Amino acid sequence: MKRLLSTKSLITHMKEKGIHFDIINEQEAMHFLSEHNYYFKLASYRKNYDKGPFGKKQGQYINLDFAYLKDLSTIDFKLRYLILQMCLDIEHSLKSTILHDMETNPNEDGYKIVSLWDASLSYRAKVNRYVKNSYSHNLGKYNPEYPAWVLFELISFGELCKFVDCYNSNYPKRLPFDAKALYPIRDIRNAAAHNACLINNVREDYRRQPNATLLKFLQSHNVPKRIRVSKLSNKPIHDFCCLLLLYPQIVKSEFLRKDRKRDLLKIFQRMRRHANYYTKNKAITTTFEFVLKMFFLIKSCY
């Protein structure tokens, strides 16, 4: 069991691990840890760095300054907020898209798809438990025959993704996007909503099959297989690329797309603010380059 250490002791611990305080001194680092962040979250970004394999510096981090951890944590913080904004836009647009499509779908009345999606009534049972204590408690009067337009006010983003996938399976080729790509977006949205770190280990290899639409898109733009395999095997990178790709396909508002395009350019500029910090870290520099390339491939759609 690890002991709870004071901020001063944590600084000493980081120095023992080879973390330098050349750009930001120890006093400034203590203030940052005391007022703006906490050690466990900040230290997680150290996973992007190698440790010395032998000699006097065995087990110590190589080329790692406290300022680099602080910078990565700031970028990650801003990225999480932007992801949440983009996912809120997508959530609203998904609901509008499905409801508008139902208007021209002769096989759908808004009730049939709910029954197909929730044949076991398990989702509606969950909704019934939630609705009593929600801001939408008055919608409980529709129980158990919720039409889609009422249900959309009560289900989570994850449940909405499953609903859209169900709609697409029952009425194929009516939606202008890959419904399966919503699941990676759901995952990164949930991570951002729970304030989980996203770029604390850009080298981590999940070895999961990438989304077919995303893979096809990168192949069509001649992104080398070596790079595709390397970057898409990291779940946060993969999921963020799915978000970049699907956002303009789902969100039809020109105003929102223009706003998010501006916000994305800001976050990419922020990534480059201290580019000199990462010149010796190929994992970080190539990740930033890959995500930026992905955005510029689809920028004209925003």
Side-chain angles (χ1 to χ4, degrees):
M1 184 179 293
K2 294 187 177 181
R3 295 183 297 112
L4 178 64
L5 300 177
S6 66
T7 303
K8 187 174 181 180
S9 297
L10 289 171
I11 297 292
T12 301
H13 176 70
M14 283 189 274
K15 290 171 67 177
E16 291 171 351
K17 289 291 184 180
I19 298 173
H20 300 283
F21 293 83
D22 299 329
I23 301 171
I24 293 177
N25 63 40
E26 294 177 34
Q27 205 63 35
E28 292 170 327
M30 286 180 64
H31 174 75
F32 181 75
L33 287 173
S34 299
E35 302 294 334
H36 300 286
N37 210 321
Y38 53 92
Y39 173 78
F40 187 78
K41 182 174 283 287
L42 187 84
S44 69
Y45 299 95
R46 72 191 188 281
K47 296 174 186 175
N48 289 305
Y49 290 83
D50 291 321
K51 291 181 179 180
F54 47 77
K56 290 183 179 180
K57 294 192 175 183
Q58 182 178 0
Q60 293 189 345
Y61 289 101
I62 301 171
N63 297 318
L64 178 53
D65 192 279
F66 182 88
Y68 306 169
L69 300 176
K70 179 177 180 288
D71 190 58
L72 287 170
S73 72
T74 302
I75 293 169
D76 209 350
F77 171 80
K78 293 179 180 295
L79 183 62
R80 291 195 298 272
Y81 268 70
L82 176 54
I83 286 169
L84 285 175
Q85 287 179 306
M86 294 178 74
C87 288
L88 283 171
D89 297 344
I90 284 177
E91 182 173 5
H92 174 76
S93 297
L94 280 174
K95 294 173 181 178
S96 296
T97 297
I98 295 296
L99 293 176
H100 288 315
D101 191 78
M102 284 181 185
E103 293 174 6
T104 59
N105 185 344
N107 299 310
E108 187 53 60
D109 61 2
Y111 290 87
K112 180 181 176 182
I113 187 61
V114 173
S115 297
L116 291 170
W117 171 69
D118 190 25
S120 67
L121 300 180
S122 58
Y123 287 118
R124 277 173 281 186
K126 184 177 179 181
V127 165
N128 293 336
R129 290 193 296 271
Y130 160 76
V131 75
K132 294 176 183 177
N133 297 309
S134 76
Y135 287 100
S136 305
H137 61 88
N138 59 308
L139 298 181
K141 64 186 179 183
Y142 290 93
N143 176 39
E145 296 300 325
Y146 291 103
W149 52 89
V150 172
L151 194 71
F152 282 174
E153 302 301 313
L154 301 170
I155 58 176
S156 68
F157 183 77
E159 290 162 349
L160 176 64
C161 293
K162 293 175 184 176
F163 188 100
V164 174
D165 192 11
C166 176
Y167 188 86
N168 185 64
S169 296
N170 283 278
Y171 307 114
K173 298 183 180 180
R174 294 187 66 91
L175 300 180
F177 55 86
D178 176 12
K180 296 296 183 186
L182 291 173
Y183 294 115
I185 294 173
R186 172 202 62 190
D187 292 348
I188 200 168
R189 179 261 180 209
N190 289 345
H194 288 92
N195 239 6
C197 298
L198 301 177
I199 57 173
N200 59 320
N201 190 354
V202 297
R203 302 186 296 183
E204 189 170 9
D205 189 348
Y206 290 80
R207 288 295 170 187
R208 296 178 65 177
Q209 188 67 26
N211 172 262
T213 299
L214 174 61
L215 188 60
K216 185 178 180 180
F217 174 83
L218 293 172
Q219 288 172 334
S220 70
H221 286 86
N222 300 315
V223 176
K225 182 178 179 180
R226 172 183 56 83
I227 295 175
R228 296 196 311 263
V229 171
S230 171
K231 297 309 176 187
L232 297 185
S233 64
N234 182 276
K235 184 166 176 56
I237 297 171
H238 170 273
D239 294 356
F240 184 61
C241 286
C242 284
L243 176 61
L244 289 177
L245 182 62
L246 251 70
Y247 184 91
Q249 296 178 19
I250 297 173
V251 178
K252 300 307 177 185
S253 166
E254 293 180 2
F255 172 80
L256 286 176
R257 290 204 306 269
K258 184 178 179 181
D259 263 11
R260 299 301 167 246
K261 180 179 179 179
R262 181 197 62 212
D263 295 338
L264 284 162
L265 287 170
K266 281 184 179 179
I267 196 74
F268 293 134
Q269 288 170 356
R270 179 60 185 81
M271 287 177 179
R272 289 174 160 179
R273 181 182 299 176
H274 298 297
N276 58 305
Y277 287 1
Y278 310 111
T279 53
K280 295 180 180 180
N281 191 313
K282 193 172 182 180
I284 292 176
T285 55
T286 57
T287 294
F288 285 176
E289 288 167 5
F290 176 76
V291 174
L292 186 61
K293 179 180 178 64
M294 175 73 195
F295 173 68
F296 275 98
L297 287 174
I298 56 175
K299 187 178 73 166
S300 60
C301 298
Y302 277 76

